[in-house]
Amino acid sequence: MAYYTVPWRRLFARGPWRRKTVSTRARLDAVQTKPLAAAPSLDSQVRQRLNRLYGWKGGERASPKDTTPAPDVVAVTSQSGGRVMMGQSNPRLLTMARPPFAVQALNHLSYGATAATVAEFNALGSNDRQRLAAYVDWQLNWDAIDDSAVTNRLNAAGYTTLNKSLSQLWADHVVSDPEYGVRMRPANEVQRAAFVRAVYSRRQLREVLVNFWHDHFNVLGTDFSVGPVFVHYDRDVIRANAKGNFRTMLEAVAQSTAMLHYLDNLNNSRSGPNENFARELLELHTFGAENYLGFMDPFQVPPCPEEPAYPIGYTDIDVYETSAAFTGWSAKNGHWQFPTENDGTFVYRQSWHDAGPKFLLGMLIYPEQPALKDGRDVLDRLASHPRVAKFICKKLIRRFVNDTPKQALIDSAAAIFRANWRASNQIELVLRHILNSDDFINSFGQKNRRPFDCAVAAMRTMGGDWTIRLDHGRSGDFMWLYGFTGHTPYNWPAPNGYPDSGLSWSGSNSYAMTWRLLGWLTESKDGDVPLHPIVDTTRANVPVATWTANTLVTWWCTRLLGYQPEAARKQALVAFMAQNGDPNTYVITDTNTWQGSDLKRHYNHERLRSMVALILMTPEFMSR
């Protein structure tokens, strides 16, 4: 992802008054290309302009990338499911018992199966496929799911900015020039509300999707310019479009004040072009870097095999031309040229727009088009492109199924994506196809939980009633400790968003800091009240007279995992809980006293909480 302006663009003004270079025109006109639909004179004008602006020499052609790995890499990746990098050892395959299907499905479609959600799932049909289809339909119709309990929880916890309009956010947190904590409160509330919603919302699939789109259209929420309006980006851009139409979402992102600031299109004008947004729009939001062709003659780009009317990928010149198409897309921020316009909303500045002809992605954009049309033509071209469809669908499959999506599922999902690219429920249709596929049904154990997934799944399954919030000491402790995992919501500085592959989160620091947090959640109190009342929960569900090590481990594994772990791991947990007592017959007393000479009676409550933390650290819990 590049971050640089293109100062040389401002040296060139479009128009018929520019001197024509005969040798350059002759050279470019000689290039053998498919005839354009535009009139020859305009074709020639565009070719001359590309040469003038970008110094095109001509002659280079696209070279298909050789993505075939070396034989030794093939051997390693075939054994490890593709999760390997050069210079690393081959990951060891870990075999786990297969949980009930409801647990498998819910661990992909939500932030962790609980006893209540498993019962809901199993009540939806007479077989697994029927129950899965019904659950997906129910969750995708999330507007019909009553989630008022979460709204009430957030309001009671002192969240004050989540319902503010964009103009309100701008007035209260920017124009008034408040101190830093007030300015950044909207971003901090969205950040902490992400935990609250993921743990307590009944619209679980929505929360998973919102997380996915935030990573895809990443904006650093804690950026000084973005923070005050981040509520608007989360609520009105990402959440509002999470299951709707991708083309609509693209424009909402492009016009959002947060993205305009983050990728600098706020100041993109014909006199001072900035390509940051244009490059990330193509590289990250639509095509993916795999479809990048470098700096080459745009008239020599091969046609896309899936649809020859489109080019196979994008070039640097497409980036520059896209940047020109989005000149003038800005926000009312009190700019010195427009000091009275200062409410933070989107604005199109015609005087800043480069209104000349453009050629990008195999498409000619005519000069002097109506307001916004240049940019909207680009978004239409991208949203309907077959390679964009495959890139988006591959990322969705990677999120919900596994790290190495099968091409057949990518292709079938992409076909639905393209066929419905104008439909208001396009994303919903694609998701329904992916989530009911055989690949999804057989996806157990093929994804690792990232730190955020682990933390909220632990809080869901332990069943506490604690709300993370601002201006609260224990919540601050949690956020500080959680930050060491490297996965704080909306805090990834680069525009590519948090990675979504197991290998990216398999480092020792990621695991160690996640385990540290899980241990903290089992032990900590808010005042005198445990965040997660493990001892009280055990008393309420397991008669104290039956508290053997084996009984306690079995019950908590069922509670946290939804099934029993691999035998050797379970035996280790039982041995830890039993200490020097018989795991099947000795009844562990409901006491918490020092008995250093007899470990089966030594601080039993602490040992119970530690045993719960150990279950949360097992491969069964850390994967999905």
Side-chain angles (χ1 to χ4, degrees):
M1 289 68 66
Y3 285 90
Y4 50 90
T5 58
V6 192
W8 37 263
R9 275 192 70 95
R10 71 189 68 176
L11 300 177
F12 301 94
R14 293 187 175 86
W17 57 86
R18 294 295 299 164
R19 179 174 61 87
K20 294 180 172 61
T21 304
V22 176
S23 60
T24 299
R25 178 175 184 176
R27 183 168 62 252
L28 283 175
D29 283 345
V31 176
Q32 298 298 315
T33 62
K34 189 171 75 170
L36 295 174
S41 59
L42 191 54
D43 175 32
S44 299
Q45 182 184 354
V46 169
R47 288 168 177 264
Q48 289 176 49
R49 191 185 60 76
L50 293 182
N51 181 68
R52 227 176 25 245
L53 294 180
Y54 312 126
W56 180 246
K57 304 300 182 185
E60 292 92 333
R61 295 178 180 269
S63 299
K65 297 178 181 178
D66 183 5
T67 57
T68 305
D72 56 334
V73 177
V74 173
V76 171
T77 54
S78 63
Q79 298 169 24
S80 61
R83 301 180 187 181
V84 68
M85 293 178 66
M86 293 300 294
Q88 290 194 338
S89 59
N90 185 23
R92 180 171 58 89
L93 182 63
L94 185 67
T95 301
M96 296 182 291
R98 183 175 291 273
F101 182 74
V103 174
Q104 299 176 47
L106 290 169
N107 283 345
H108 283 280
L109 298 172
S110 73
Y111 280 111
T114 67
T117 60
V118 167
E120 283 180 338
F121 185 94
N122 285 331
L124 292 175
S126 58
N127 59 66
D128 288 342
R129 283 188 179 272
Q130 191 178 85
R131 288 188 283 263
L132 174 62
Y135 182 85
V136 169
D137 288 344
W138 174 54
Q139 282 287 302
L140 283 175
N141 188 26
W142 59 58
D143 293 328
I145 300 174
D146 181 11
D147 218 21
S148 57
V150 171
T151 302
N152 295 337
R153 181 181 289 271
L154 291 168
N155 292 337
Y159 286 80
T160 60
T161 71
L162 299 182
N163 294 318
K164 288 185 177 182
S165 68
L166 176 57
S167 296
Q168 264 187 299
L169 291 166
W170 193 262
D172 295 347
H173 302 278
V174 178
V175 176
S176 62
D177 193 24
E179 57 91 16
Y180 183 79
V182 175
R183 179 184 178 92
M184 301 303 292
R185 187 176 184 92
N188 292 333
E189 286 196 354
V190 173
Q191 206 171 54
R192 297 192 183 197
F195 287 97
V196 179
R197 288 164 167 156
V199 173
Y200 296 108
S201 176
R202 285 178 53 74
R203 301 173 179 178
Q204 281 288 296
L205 183 53
R206 184 190 194 193
E207 294 307 314
V208 175
L209 269 177
V210 164
N211 182 281
F212 169 83
W213 289 120
H214 264 295
D215 280 339
H216 183 75
F217 292 110
N218 184 57
V219 164
L220 177 61
T222 54
D223 178 89
F224 185 77
S225 298
V226 172
V229 296
F230 197 64
V231 162
H232 168 261
Y233 188 70
D234 173 70
R235 181 192 63 217
D236 301 329
V237 177
I238 300 298
R239 290 181 175 275
N241 294 288
K243 65 169 181 175
N245 177 268
F246 183 71
R247 166 64 180 82
T248 302
M249 186 185 289
L250 276 179
E251 185 161 338
V253 168
Q255 294 185 359
S256 68
T257 310
M259 186 63 81
L260 286 166
H261 275 282
Y262 179 59
L263 289 182
D264 305 314
N265 210 72
L266 185 81
N267 299 310
N268 184 19
S269 68
R270 63 181 182 178
S271 61
N274 189 298
E275 72 175 57
N276 287 349
F277 172 71
R279 184 168 293 278
E280 308 311 350
L281 174 66
L282 300 183
E283 180 179 334
L284 299 176
H285 301 164
T286 54
F287 273 107
E290 63 217 49
N291 292 299
Y292 171 56
L293 303 175
F295 190 82
M296 67 171 293
D297 182 350
F299 295 98
Q300 294 290 337
V301 174
C304 186
E306 298 89 343
E307 176 55 70
Y310 293 80
I312 196 171
Y314 74 97
T315 71
D316 281 312
I317 292 179
D318 291 317
V319 173
Y320 309 148
E321 294 290 85
T322 297
S323 176
F326 284 98
T327 49
W329 289 48
S330 190
K332 298 177 181 178
N333 65 336
H335 188 275
W336 64 270
Q337 292 181 5
F338 309 93
T340 61
E341 298 181 0
N342 195 23
D343 65 3
T345 60
F346 173 77
V347 65
Y348 175 72
R349 303 202 186 283
Q350 183 68 50
S351 60
W352 288 11
H353 183 62
D354 183 339
K358 304 166 186 71
F359 183 77
L360 65 150
L361 303 174
M363 171 183 68
L364 182 66
I365 294 180
Y366 285 80
E368 305 297 339
Q369 294 204 110
L372 298 170
K373 192 170 188 311
D374 285 7
R376 285 172 170 165
D377 285 348
V378 174
L379 297 181
D380 284 347
R381 188 72 165 171
L382 291 170
S384 59
H385 198 291
R387 289 299 170 95
V388 171
K390 289 189 176 184
F391 178 67
I392 300 301
C393 290
K394 181 166 67 173
K395 288 192 70 172
L396 282 167
I397 296 166
R398 183 180 297 128
R399 176 64 181 85
F400 285 100
V401 180
N402 59 42
D403 289 350
T404 53
K406 292 182 180 177
Q407 193 62 47
L409 183 56
I410 295 172
D411 292 343
S412 60
I416 295 172
F417 187 99
R418 284 203 74 212
N420 295 278
W421 79 272
R422 293 186 184 274
S424 61
N425 63 340
Q426 173 199 20
I427 297 170
E428 181 180 340
L429 294 173
V430 172
L431 279 169
R432 190 172 281 108
H433 174 75
I434 293 171
L435 300 180
N436 284 287
S437 67
D438 288 344
D439 287 11
F440 179 87
I441 289 172
N442 297 307
S443 62
F444 165 68
Q446 297 182 46
K447 289 291 293 185
N448 293 344
R449 277 177 165 153
R450 299 184 295 179
F452 181 83
D453 307 336
C454 284
V456 297
M459 288 188 272
R460 280 174 62 77
T461 55
M462 283 192 289
D465 189 28
W466 179 58
T467 305
I468 298 169
R469 53 198 183 275
L470 264 68
D471 310 316
H472 177 248
R474 215 28 148 187
S475 298
D477 294 342
F478 171 86
M479 293 300 295
W480 176 81
L481 188 63
Y482 178 84
F484 290 106
T485 67
H487 198 206
T488 301
Y490 324 128
N491 203 43
W492 184 262
N496 59 344
Y498 283 111
D500 190 15
S501 65
L503 188 62
S504 300
W505 300 97
S506 295
S508 57
N509 183 77
S510 179
Y511 278 126
M513 293 300 102
T514 301
W515 292 338
R516 181 186 180 196
L517 178 77
L518 295 174
W520 184 88
L521 286 171
T522 63
E523 290 290 341
S524 297
K525 296 181 178 181
D526 187 1
D528 294 329
V529 180
L531 302 186
H532 298 92
I534 292 170
V535 175
D536 287 344
T537 299
T538 307
R539 290 181 185 133
N541 292 277
V542 184
V544 174
T546 66
W547 277 21
T548 64
N550 191 61
T551 299
L552 291 172
V553 170
T554 298
W555 188 85
W556 273 104
C557 283
T558 301
R559 167 95 177 201
L560 300 175
L561 306 177
Y563 68 113
Q564 299 304 300
E566 186 266 337
R569 256 188 306 282
K570 182 177 180 180
Q571 186 56 43
L573 291 166
V574 170
F576 170 80
M577 197 65 218
Q579 292 300 312
N580 59 331
D582 186 289
N584 297 310
T585 60
Y586 178 76
V587 176
I588 299 169
T589 57
D590 185 6
T591 57
N592 198 47
T593 58
W594 166 270
Q595 293 290 339
S597 60
D598 188 357
L599 295 180
K600 68 178 180 293
R601 296 187 293 139
H602 182 62
Y603 286 132
N604 293 341
H605 293 173
E606 265 84 346
R607 193 162 78 256
L608 176 61
R609 290 194 292 269
S610 295
M611 183 269 290
V612 169
L614 288 172
I615 295 174
L616 296 176
M617 298 176 194
T618 60
E620 283 82 0
F621 188 82
M622 298 291 289
S623 64
R624 59 180 178 86

